[in-house]
Amino acid sequence: MVEFVRWQSAVPNRNGHYPGVFALANGLRHSGLLNGEDAAWHRAANRRAAAAYADPTTVDPSCYDQVDNPGARAWFNTRAVELLALTQPYLDLLDRYDVPWVKLTTRTPGRIVYRDDVQVVAVPLAYPDDWSFPTSP
């Protein structure tokens, strides 16, 4: 059973990271690429999301620290139906502006460094520490 879902860029950014759906939408607006109607919608949608859900960095400022938690990324709990529904218009926005994204699902997002009712922030699993099979000597 899938427990977590993540929508992220299909293409790594200049730092080799795959920004999530909200970061991608924020990037469109901050780059001045949204038309007036979409920019207004985005500002309002971000206000609603910020009022409804915790920003993990306000609870644990170190959760995305690249030294302690390299590559940490947010995953949504699949039982967070309202949050998942809130995400769809952001994906529609990305589609309108031809921003490629992918959907990932997993039961094991990695080493969890933050958790609340709707999301986790996890450091991706890595070889050899998290490899399930024996390695040759």
Side-chain angles (χ1 to χ4, degrees):
M1 175 172 168
V2 173
E3 291 187 41
F4 300 101
V5 62
R6 175 178 170 77
W7 291 273
Q8 68 179 31
S9 175
V11 181
N13 65 17
R14 65 182 167 273
N15 299 317
H17 300 144
Y18 292 83
V21 59
F22 297 128
L24 290 170
N26 290 343
L28 281 173
R29 192 174 107 221
H30 294 155
S31 297
L33 297 174
L34 297 180
N35 67 35
E37 182 180 335
D38 285 336
W41 171 85
H42 182 260
R43 283 190 298 275
N46 275 1
R47 281 193 301 273
R48 286 190 301 275
Y53 302 102
D55 174 346
T57 61
T58 63
V59 179
D60 179 1
S62 70
C63 68
Y64 289 109
D65 181 277
Q66 286 302 300
V67 173
D68 294 336
N69 302 314
R73 56 194 67 163
W75 293 80
F76 302 141
N77 188 310
T78 57
R79 292 184 302 271
V81 177
E82 291 175 5
L83 175 59
L84 300 180
L86 176 141
T87 305
Q88 186 58 54
Y90 284 86
L91 297 171
D92 295 339
L93 178 78
L94 297 177
D95 288 345
R96 278 197 301 283
Y97 289 87
D98 296 321
V99 176
W101 54 270
V102 296
K103 178 182 179 181
L104 305 174
T105 59
T106 188
R107 290 183 316 131
T108 54
R111 178 176 54 86
I112 296 175
V113 297
Y114 170 86
R115 180 188 299 266
D116 65 29
D117 292 341
V118 297
Q119 65 188 325
V120 299
V121 175
V123 176
L125 300 173
Y127 181 86
D129 294 340
D130 302 306
W131 185 245
S132 297
F133 303 102
T135 55
S136 300

